[in-house]
Amino acid sequence: AQSVTQLGSHVSVSEGALVLLRCNYSSSVPPYLFWYVQYPNQGLQLLLKYTTGATLVKGINGFEAEFKKSETSFHLTKPSAHMSDAAEYFCAVSSDSSYKLIFGSGTRLLVRP
Amino acid sequence: GAVVSQHPSWVICKSGTSVKIECRSLDFQATTMFWYRQFPKQSLMLMATSNEGSKATYEQGVEKDKFLINHASLTLSTLTVTSAHPEDSSFYICSASSGQVGETQYFGPGTRLLVL
């Protein structure tokens, strides 16, 4: 069975600081990994995804994530936080054996002025 | 990315009534649509998966007679909450994809349901 763990339900950073949101997954088969962002009262928007190939994936709004198989991690980073980045972030996993997405519990990013 | 719409964006209804929520993929053919439920400050819980022209597959613990799903075309899926009760109040989100493994799911903006 697949699962996703997001460490830290809340992360607070200052504007301009590095953003690091952690995601670890469990999967017995090669995973497909996704990061989605959700703004209040809205649906989810895809930030980036990893399927195969290059392990460093660049997404929208300056975000990127690196797939590390040895660490079963897919952490999301952004060099410099912006106030507009404040939102809920979800990591998700699927695989060749299932197109269903398994979501982590989410991390709320707060950006301080 | 692809655009998915939901209608209505919010609905208030009386206990015992039924509510229909529509999910449309506006610019691509969605072989597969998913329905999720999200409680406040929680993650998304997959309720069911629907494939165009076939019966929906429900996740364990989801009552198929209470949450009726129809996927009549490649661009439209509907979720009907039958005989709604206050505990059905939630944020319902749909997503659509081509149904291929690894493909991105594109999410609708969600529908907030409040049952009085």
Side-chain angles (χ1 to χ4, degrees):
Chain A
Q2 295 176 306
S3 66
V4 176
T5 302
Q6 290 184 241
L7 294 176
S9 59
H10 291 79
V11 170
S12 179
V13 300
S14 298
E15 190 174 18
L18 171 71
V19 175
L20 171 61
L21 304 182
R22 299 179 185 275
C23 172
N24 288 89
Y25 69 90
S26 172
S27 178
S28 59
V29 295
Y32 299 123
L33 296 158
F34 304 79
W35 274 100
Y36 284 89
V37 60
Q38 184 181 34
Y39 296 98
N41 298 309
Q42 294 186 28
L44 275 67
Q45 180 183 9
L46 179 70
L47 280 176
L48 49 81
K49 71 175 185 180
Y50 169 80
T51 53
T52 59
T55 56
L56 181 62
V57 181
K58 295 186 183 299
I60 63 171
N61 301 339
F63 284 94
E64 62 182 37
E66 186 171 10
F67 169 59
K68 292 187 176 180
K69 184 178 179 180
S70 61
E71 298 177 9
T72 61
S73 69
F74 191 57
H75 302 330
L76 181 71
T77 61
K78 181 174 180 177
S80 177
H82 193 272
M83 296 298 290
S84 60
D85 294 326
E88 188 87 18
Y89 291 80
F90 292 97
C91 181
V93 63
S94 70
S95 72
D96 268 340
S97 60
S98 172
Y99 46 69
K100 295 180 184 179
L101 281 177
I102 306 299
F103 283 91
S105 55
T107 297
R108 181 166 299 275
L109 176 64
L110 306 172
V111 182
R112 304 185 301 271
Chain B
V3 179
V4 176
S5 70
Q6 278 184 245
H7 179 80
S9 56
W10 60 271
V11 58
I12 302 173
C13 69
K14 293 182 178 180
S15 184
T17 61
S18 294
V19 175
K20 179 184 284 188
I21 302 170
E22 292 186 348
C23 177
R24 294 182 184 271
S25 60
L26 300 183
D27 53 3
F28 75 106
Q29 293 186 325
T31 306
T32 305
M33 288 186 170
F34 303 84
W35 286 96
Y36 295 85
R37 184 172 180 177
Q38 186 180 30
F39 291 103
K41 301 186 186 303
Q42 295 188 27
S43 188
L44 281 74
M45 181 190 78
L46 180 64
M47 299 174 67
T49 303
S50 72
N51 291 294
E52 185 264 338
S54 62
K55 290 184 178 181
T57 302
Y58 291 81
E59 295 300 300
Q60 191 173 7
V62 178
E63 298 177 60
K64 63 180 181 181
D65 294 331
K66 179 161 188 66
F67 298 100
L68 300 178
I69 292 172
N70 183 276
H71 192 164
S73 75
L74 287 172
T75 59
L76 173 64
S77 176
T78 60
L79 167 68
T80 301
V81 183
T82 62
S83 186
H85 288 91
E87 58 265 30
D88 298 323
S89 298
S90 191
F91 194 52
Y92 293 88
I93 307 176
C94 73
S95 71
S97 82
S98 65
Q100 303 300 314
V101 290
E103 285 298 311
T104 299
Q105 288 186 27
Y106 296 97
F107 285 80
T111 296
R112 186 161 301 283
L113 170 63
L114 177 61
V115 184
L116 301 177

PDB file of all heavy atoms in Angstrom, chain A residues 2-29:
ATOM      1  N   GLN A   2       0.343   2.272  -0.612  1.00  0.00           N
ATOM      2  CA  GLN A   2       1.091   3.524  -0.670  1.00  0.00           C
ATOM      3  C   GLN A   2       0.613   4.473   0.414  1.00  0.00           C
ATOM      4  O   GLN A   2      -0.554   4.441   0.817  1.00  0.00           O
ATOM      5  CB  GLN A   2       0.888   4.180  -2.041  1.00  0.00           C
ATOM      6  CG  GLN A   2       1.458   3.374  -3.198  1.00  0.00           C
ATOM      7  CD  GLN A   2       1.149   4.022  -4.526  1.00  0.00           C
ATOM      8  OE1 GLN A   2      -0.001   4.309  -4.838  1.00  0.00           O
ATOM      9  NE2 GLN A   2       2.176   4.258  -5.317  1.00  0.00           N
ATOM     10  N   SER A   3       1.524   5.327   0.849  1.00  0.00           N
ATOM     11  CA  SER A   3       1.155   6.346   1.826  1.00  0.00           C
ATOM     12  C   SER A   3       2.071   7.540   1.669  1.00  0.00           C
ATOM     13  O   SER A   3       3.150   7.446   1.061  1.00  0.00           O
ATOM     14  CB  SER A   3       1.230   5.800   3.252  1.00  0.00           C
ATOM     15  OG  SER A   3       2.565   5.490   3.599  1.00  0.00           O
ATOM     16  N   VAL A   4       1.627   8.656   2.218  1.00  0.00           N
ATOM     17  CA  VAL A   4       2.392   9.898   2.149  1.00  0.00           C
ATOM     18  C   VAL A   4       2.387  10.541   3.528  1.00  0.00           C
ATOM     19  O   VAL A   4       1.333  10.636   4.167  1.00  0.00           O
ATOM     20  CB  VAL A   4       1.773  10.873   1.133  1.00  0.00           C
ATOM     21  CG1 VAL A   4       2.523  12.198   1.142  1.00  0.00           C
ATOM     22  CG2 VAL A   4       1.787  10.271  -0.264  1.00  0.00           C
ATOM     23  N   THR A   5       3.545  10.991   3.958  1.00  0.00           N
ATOM     24  CA  THR A   5       3.677  11.687   5.228  1.00  0.00           C
ATOM     25  C   THR A   5       4.240  13.075   4.990  1.00  0.00           C
ATOM     26  O   THR A   5       5.303  13.220   4.381  1.00  0.00           O
ATOM     27  CB  THR A   5       4.607  10.922   6.186  1.00  0.00           C
ATOM     28  OG1 THR A   5       4.089   9.614   6.399  1.00  0.00           O
ATOM     29  CG2 THR A   5       4.706  11.649   7.517  1.00  0.00           C
ATOM     30  N   GLN A   6       3.519  14.058   5.436  1.00  0.00           N
ATOM     31  CA  GLN A   6       4.010  15.424   5.369  1.00  0.00           C
ATOM     32  C   GLN A   6       4.344  15.869   6.784  1.00  0.00           C
ATOM     33  O   GLN A   6       3.462  15.940   7.644  1.00  0.00           O
ATOM     34  CB  GLN A   6       2.960  16.355   4.752  1.00  0.00           C
ATOM     35  CG  GLN A   6       2.755  16.101   3.268  1.00  0.00           C
ATOM     36  CD  GLN A   6       1.790  17.080   2.643  1.00  0.00           C
ATOM     37  OE1 GLN A   6       0.744  16.683   2.121  1.00  0.00           O
ATOM     38  NE2 GLN A   6       2.136  18.361   2.668  1.00  0.00           N
ATOM     39  N   LEU A   7       5.609  16.141   7.017  1.00  0.00           N
ATOM     40  CA  LEU A   7       6.056  16.550   8.346  1.00  0.00           C
ATOM     41  C   LEU A   7       5.781  18.032   8.546  1.00  0.00           C
ATOM     42  O   LEU A   7       6.211  18.863   7.768  1.00  0.00           O
ATOM     43  CB  LEU A   7       7.545  16.263   8.503  1.00  0.00           C
ATOM     44  CG  LEU A   7       7.918  14.779   8.498  1.00  0.00           C
ATOM     45  CD1 LEU A   7       9.415  14.599   8.556  1.00  0.00           C
ATOM     46  CD2 LEU A   7       7.231  14.049   9.639  1.00  0.00           C
ATOM     47  N   GLY A   8       5.067  18.321   9.614  1.00  0.00           N
ATOM     48  CA  GLY A   8       4.747  19.711   9.905  1.00  0.00           C
ATOM     49  C   GLY A   8       3.434  20.111   9.301  1.00  0.00           C
ATOM     50  O   GLY A   8       3.316  20.280   8.095  1.00  0.00           O
ATOM     51  N   SER A   9       2.423  20.246  10.132  1.00  0.00           N
ATOM     52  CA  SER A   9       1.119  20.685   9.620  1.00  0.00           C
ATOM     53  C   SER A   9       1.141  22.180   9.307  1.00  0.00           C
ATOM     54  O   SER A   9       0.337  22.648   8.501  1.00  0.00           O
ATOM     55  CB  SER A   9       0.020  20.382  10.637  1.00  0.00           C
ATOM     56  OG  SER A   9       0.290  21.032  11.872  1.00  0.00           O
ATOM     57  N   HIS A  10       2.042  22.902   9.960  1.00  0.00           N
ATOM     58  CA  HIS A  10       2.184  24.333   9.727  1.00  0.00           C
ATOM     59  C   HIS A  10       3.668  24.669   9.588  1.00  0.00           C
ATOM     60  O   HIS A  10       4.497  24.193  10.369  1.00  0.00           O
ATOM     61  CB  HIS A  10       1.594  25.152  10.889  1.00  0.00           C
ATOM     62  CG  HIS A  10       0.116  25.075  10.990  1.00  0.00           C
ATOM     63  ND1 HIS A  10      -0.543  23.995  11.544  1.00  0.00           N
ATOM     64  CD2 HIS A  10      -0.850  25.938  10.589  1.00  0.00           C
ATOM     65  CE1 HIS A  10      -1.847  24.210  11.494  1.00  0.00           C
ATOM     66  NE2 HIS A  10      -2.066  25.371  10.920  1.00  0.00           N
ATOM     67  N   VAL A  11       3.978  25.481   8.603  1.00  0.00           N
ATOM     68  CA  VAL A  11       5.329  26.000   8.433  1.00  0.00           C
ATOM     69  C   VAL A  11       5.228  27.506   8.271  1.00  0.00           C
ATOM     70  O   VAL A  11       4.425  27.989   7.462  1.00  0.00           O
ATOM     71  CB  VAL A  11       6.024  25.379   7.206  1.00  0.00           C
ATOM     72  CG1 VAL A  11       7.326  26.097   6.904  1.00  0.00           C
ATOM     73  CG2 VAL A  11       6.279  23.893   7.428  1.00  0.00           C
ATOM     74  N   SER A  12       6.019  28.227   9.049  1.00  0.00           N
ATOM     75  CA  SER A  12       5.992  29.680   8.991  1.00  0.00           C
ATOM     76  C   SER A  12       7.368  30.196   8.582  1.00  0.00           C
ATOM     77  O   SER A  12       8.377  29.800   9.172  1.00  0.00           O
ATOM     78  CB  SER A  12       5.607  30.252  10.362  1.00  0.00           C
ATOM     79  OG  SER A  12       5.588  31.663  10.323  1.00  0.00           O
ATOM     80  N   VAL A  13       7.401  31.053   7.584  1.00  0.00           N
ATOM     81  CA  VAL A  13       8.658  31.631   7.120  1.00  0.00           C
ATOM     82  C   VAL A  13       8.467  33.129   6.925  1.00  0.00           C
ATOM     83  O   VAL A  13       7.342  33.616   6.771  1.00  0.00           O
ATOM     84  CB  VAL A  13       9.134  31.006   5.796  1.00  0.00           C
ATOM     85  CG1 VAL A  13       9.357  29.503   5.957  1.00  0.00           C
ATOM     86  CG2 VAL A  13       8.171  31.285   4.661  1.00  0.00           C
ATOM     87  N   SER A  14       9.553  33.836   6.915  1.00  0.00           N
ATOM     88  CA  SER A  14       9.513  35.261   6.617  1.00  0.00           C
ATOM     89  C   SER A  14       9.545  35.469   5.109  1.00  0.00           C
ATOM     90  O   SER A  14      10.088  34.646   4.369  1.00  0.00           O
ATOM     91  CB  SER A  14      10.709  35.985   7.246  1.00  0.00           C
ATOM     92  OG  SER A  14      10.683  35.885   8.643  1.00  0.00           O
ATOM     93  N   GLU A  15       8.957  36.538   4.681  1.00  0.00           N
ATOM     94  CA  GLU A  15       8.993  36.867   3.256  1.00  0.00           C
ATOM     95  C   GLU A  15      10.446  36.978   2.812  1.00  0.00           C
ATOM     96  O   GLU A  15      11.279  37.611   3.475  1.00  0.00           O
ATOM     97  CB  GLU A  15       8.256  38.185   3.010  1.00  0.00           C
ATOM     98  CG  GLU A  15       8.021  38.484   1.539  1.00  0.00           C
ATOM     99  CD  GLU A  15       7.166  39.715   1.326  1.00  0.00           C
ATOM    100  OE1 GLU A  15       7.047  40.525   2.278  1.00  0.00           O
ATOM    101  OE2 GLU A  15       6.613  39.885   0.228  1.00  0.00           O
ATOM    102  N   GLY A  16      10.765  36.315   1.700  1.00  0.00           N
ATOM    103  CA  GLY A  16      12.127  36.310   1.204  1.00  0.00           C
ATOM    104  C   GLY A  16      12.966  35.147   1.676  1.00  0.00           C
ATOM    105  O   GLY A  16      14.054  34.897   1.139  1.00  0.00           O
ATOM    106  N   ALA A  17      12.492  34.417   2.665  1.00  0.00           N
ATOM    107  CA  ALA A  17      13.238  33.275   3.200  1.00  0.00           C
ATOM    108  C   ALA A  17      12.975  32.027   2.379  1.00  0.00           C
ATOM    109  O   ALA A  17      12.024  31.945   1.603  1.00  0.00           O
ATOM    110  CB  ALA A  17      12.850  33.037   4.652  1.00  0.00           C
ATOM    111  N   LEU A  18      13.835  31.034   2.604  1.00  0.00           N
ATOM    112  CA  LEU A  18      13.696  29.744   1.932  1.00  0.00           C
ATOM    113  C   LEU A  18      12.451  29.018   2.427  1.00  0.00           C
ATOM    114  O   LEU A  18      12.154  28.990   3.621  1.00  0.00           O
ATOM    115  CB  LEU A  18      14.922  28.877   2.212  1.00  0.00           C
ATOM    116  CG  LEU A  18      14.874  27.419   1.763  1.00  0.00           C
ATOM    117  CD1 LEU A  18      14.943  27.329   0.250  1.00  0.00           C
ATOM    118  CD2 LEU A  18      15.982  26.607   2.415  1.00  0.00           C
ATOM    119  N   VAL A  19      11.760  28.405   1.503  1.00  0.00           N
ATOM    120  CA  VAL A  19      10.617  27.559   1.840  1.00  0.00           C
ATOM    121  C   VAL A  19      11.026  26.102   1.665  1.00  0.00           C
ATOM    122  O   VAL A  19      11.574  25.729   0.621  1.00  0.00           O
ATOM    123  CB  VAL A  19       9.405  27.857   0.929  1.00  0.00           C
ATOM    124  CG1 VAL A  19       8.267  26.876   1.228  1.00  0.00           C
ATOM    125  CG2 VAL A  19       8.935  29.292   1.102  1.00  0.00           C
ATOM    126  N   LEU A  20      10.768  25.287   2.683  1.00  0.00           N
ATOM    127  CA  LEU A  20      11.033  23.855   2.612  1.00  0.00           C
ATOM    128  C   LEU A  20       9.840  23.127   3.209  1.00  0.00           C
ATOM    129  O   LEU A  20       9.564  23.245   4.396  1.00  0.00           O
ATOM    130  CB  LEU A  20      12.302  23.475   3.375  1.00  0.00           C
ATOM    131  CG  LEU A  20      12.560  21.970   3.561  1.00  0.00           C
ATOM    132  CD1 LEU A  20      12.701  21.270   2.218  1.00  0.00           C
ATOM    133  CD2 LEU A  20      13.792  21.735   4.423  1.00  0.00           C
ATOM    134  N   LEU A  21       9.128  22.388   2.379  1.00  0.00           N
ATOM    135  CA  LEU A  21       7.994  21.588   2.835  1.00  0.00           C
ATOM    136  C   LEU A  21       8.353  20.127   2.591  1.00  0.00           C
ATOM    137  O   LEU A  21       8.682  19.743   1.481  1.00  0.00           O
ATOM    138  CB  LEU A  21       6.722  21.968   2.071  1.00  0.00           C
ATOM    139  CG  LEU A  21       6.323  23.434   2.131  1.00  0.00           C
ATOM    140  CD1 LEU A  21       5.015  23.651   1.377  1.00  0.00           C
ATOM    141  CD2 LEU A  21       6.223  23.932   3.543  1.00  0.00           C
ATOM    142  N   ARG A  22       8.242  19.339   3.652  1.00  0.00           N
ATOM    143  CA  ARG A  22       8.732  17.969   3.601  1.00  0.00           C
ATOM    144  C   ARG A  22       7.648  16.960   3.231  1.00  0.00           C
ATOM    145  O   ARG A  22       6.506  17.071   3.676  1.00  0.00           O
ATOM    146  CB  ARG A  22       9.349  17.584   4.943  1.00  0.00           C
ATOM    147  CG  ARG A  22      10.545  18.450   5.341  1.00  0.00           C
ATOM    148  CD  ARG A  22      11.107  18.048   6.686  1.00  0.00           C
ATOM    149  NE  ARG A  22      12.172  18.963   7.104  1.00  0.00           N
ATOM    150  CZ  ARG A  22      13.437  18.842   6.734  1.00  0.00           C
ATOM    151  NH1 ARG A  22      13.810  17.845   5.949  1.00  0.00           N
ATOM    152  NH2 ARG A  22      14.330  19.711   7.153  1.00  0.00           N
ATOM    153  N   CYS A  23       8.060  15.993   2.438  1.00  0.00           N
ATOM    154  CA  CYS A  23       7.147  14.927   2.017  1.00  0.00           C
ATOM    155  C   CYS A  23       7.939  13.631   1.910  1.00  0.00           C
ATOM    156  O   CYS A  23       8.946  13.566   1.206  1.00  0.00           O
ATOM    157  CB  CYS A  23       6.505  15.257   0.672  1.00  0.00           C
ATOM    158  SG  CYS A  23       5.531  13.899  -0.039  1.00  0.00           S
ATOM    159  N   ASN A  24       7.479  12.625   2.619  1.00  0.00           N
ATOM    160  CA  ASN A  24       8.036  11.292   2.487  1.00  0.00           C
ATOM    161  C   ASN A  24       6.931  10.336   2.065  1.00  0.00           C
ATOM    162  O   ASN A  24       5.795  10.477   2.489  1.00  0.00           O
ATOM    163  CB  ASN A  24       8.664  10.830   3.811  1.00  0.00           C
ATOM    164  CG  ASN A  24       9.943  11.558   4.129  1.00  0.00           C
ATOM    165  OD1 ASN A  24       9.935  12.603   4.753  1.00  0.00           O
ATOM    166  ND2 ASN A  24      11.051  11.008   3.672  1.00  0.00           N
ATOM    167  N   TYR A  25       7.286   9.383   1.254  1.00  0.00           N
ATOM    168  CA  TYR A  25       6.282   8.473   0.722  1.00  0.00           C
ATOM    169  C   TYR A  25       6.685   7.035   1.014  1.00  0.00           C
ATOM    170  O   TYR A  25       7.842   6.727   1.304  1.00  0.00           O
ATOM    171  CB  TYR A  25       6.130   8.674  -0.785  1.00  0.00           C
ATOM    172  CG  TYR A  25       7.338   8.214  -1.566  1.00  0.00           C
ATOM    173  CD1 TYR A  25       7.434   6.914  -2.043  1.00  0.00           C
ATOM    174  CD2 TYR A  25       8.407   9.079  -1.787  1.00  0.00           C
ATOM    175  CE1 TYR A  25       8.560   6.487  -2.715  1.00  0.00           C
ATOM    176  CE2 TYR A  25       9.531   8.660  -2.457  1.00  0.00           C
ATOM    177  CZ  TYR A  25       9.615   7.365  -2.920  1.00  0.00           C
ATOM    178  OH  TYR A  25      10.729   6.944  -3.578  1.00  0.00           O
ATOM    179  N   SER A  26       5.704   6.185   0.917  1.00  0.00           N
ATOM    180  CA  SER A  26       5.927   4.753   1.020  1.00  0.00           C
ATOM    181  C   SER A  26       5.262   4.100  -0.178  1.00  0.00           C
ATOM    182  O   SER A  26       4.069   4.326  -0.418  1.00  0.00           O
ATOM    183  CB  SER A  26       5.327   4.214   2.316  1.00  0.00           C
ATOM    184  OG  SER A  26       5.383   2.810   2.348  1.00  0.00           O
ATOM    185  N   SER A  27       6.049   3.349  -0.931  1.00  0.00           N
ATOM    186  CA  SER A  27       5.493   2.701  -2.109  1.00  0.00           C
ATOM    187  C   SER A  27       6.340   1.491  -2.463  1.00  0.00           C
ATOM    188  O   SER A  27       7.563   1.584  -2.493  1.00  0.00           O
ATOM    189  CB  SER A  27       5.461   3.680  -3.284  1.00  0.00           C
ATOM    190  OG  SER A  27       4.968   3.048  -4.451  1.00  0.00           O
ATOM    191  N   SER A  28       5.688   0.400  -2.757  1.00  0.00           N
ATOM    192  CA  SER A  28       6.408  -0.821  -3.116  1.00  0.00           C
ATOM    193  C   SER A  28       6.742  -0.862  -4.599  1.00  0.00           C
ATOM    194  O   SER A  28       7.451  -1.738  -5.054  1.00  0.00           O
ATOM    195  CB  SER A  28       5.584  -2.051  -2.731  1.00  0.00           C
ATOM    196  OG  SER A  28       4.334  -2.013  -3.392  1.00  0.00           O
ATOM    197  N   VAL A  29       6.223   0.090  -5.335  1.00  0.00           N
ATOM    198  CA  VAL A  29       6.491   0.175  -6.770  1.00  0.00           C
ATOM    199  C   VAL A  29       6.981   1.588  -7.070  1.00  0.00           C
ATOM    200  O   VAL A  29       6.791   2.493  -6.257  1.00  0.00           O
ATOM    201  CB  VAL A  29       5.217  -0.134  -7.590  1.00  0.00           C
ATOM    202  CG1 VAL A  29       4.787  -1.583  -7.372  1.00  0.00           C
ATOM    203  CG2 VAL A  29       4.093   0.813  -7.210  1.00  0.00           C
TER     204      VAL A  29
END
